[in-house]
Amino acid sequence: VELLVATVGLRIFEGRGRRPSEPGEVGTLLLWAGGLAPAAGAVLGAGISILLFDHGPASAFLQWYLSDAFGLLIFTPLAIAIAGGDFSRAIGAMTWRKRAEFAALLLATALLTFAVFYRAKYPALFLVVVPMMVVSFRAGWLGTKAALAIIAVIGGVATLTGQGPITPITTH
């Protein structure tokens, strides 16, 4: 349901010559991938959660909605860029030196994020912003999408396995 709602909504804007994955169309992306699509899915998910697990309707809806909305907002721009060919065209247009720099920046983002979530003795979550900003300045919008996805995956896996600076907050 979420994919259908998001796809239809984003295709409407794309049909008007707009690309929902571009910076100027953030509002479109927020509306469909961060608002309407996860709300449609949350209605169904919360209904099942209420029936099977006896959760309260408001909390079931809110938990389902927030987790799906954040996931869609993080991964939809990258998925659109990959599926639409923007990502491969951008990589293809880069010189070998620029590709090496792009790969090194993404690797640095992954390594620092891994260190923050798996090795840091103190909460240092703010550090992951530094390589993401460098990637944004050096590689542009597509680099930002890739860096954000890397941070989300590493941070999400770490948190799900009880690691990192977010875990102490969620265990209370």
Side-chain angles (χ1 to χ4, degrees), residues 82-153:
I82 291 170
D86 294 343
F87 204 81
S88 61
R89 279 191 296 278
I91 297 293
M94 291 179 184
T95 65
W96 283 103
R97 183 172 184 240
K98 195 74 169 158
R99 286 181 197 158
E101 177 188 11
F102 183 61
L105 289 171
L106 293 179
L107 179 62
T109 300
L111 291 173
L112 183 60
T113 302
F114 182 85
V116 165
F117 278 91
Y118 286 98
R119 301 286 181 226
K121 292 182 181 181
Y122 302 104
L125 195 56
F126 63 92
L127 288 176
V128 300
V129 173
V130 175
M132 191 169 78
M133 288 188 64
V134 173
V135 169
S136 296
F137 289 129
R138 297 295 299 159
W141 184 237
L142 290 173
T144 304
K145 295 172 190 180
L148 184 58
I150 289 168
I151 292 167
V153 168

Side-chain angles (χ1 to χ4, degrees), residues 13-129:
F13 282 87
E14 197 171 75
R16 295 180 186 162
R18 298 179 184 170
R19 300 277 309 176
S21 61
E22 293 301 317
E25 296 300 324
V26 170
T28 302
L29 183 69
L30 286 172
L31 173 67
W32 291 101
L36 300 175
V43 168
L44 294 174
I48 292 168
S49 183
I50 292 164
L51 291 173
L52 296 179
F53 304 109
D54 199 33
H55 289 156
S59 101
F61 178 85
L62 190 61
Q63 286 177 351
W64 194 282
Y65 174 80
L66 289 176
S67 64
D68 284 7
F70 287 131
L72 284 171
L73 286 173
I74 290 169
F75 293 105
T76 300
L78 182 60
I80 290 171
I82 291 170
D86 294 343
F87 204 81
S88 61
R89 279 191 296 278
I91 297 293
M94 291 179 184
T95 65
W96 283 103
R97 183 172 184 240
K98 195 74 169 158
R99 286 181 197 158
E101 177 188 11
F102 183 61
L105 289 171
L106 293 179
L107 179 62
T109 300
L111 291 173
L112 183 60
T113 302
F114 182 85
V116 165
F117 278 91
Y118 286 98
R119 301 286 181 226
K121 292 182 181 181
Y122 302 104
L125 195 56
F126 63 92
L127 288 176
V128 300
V129 173

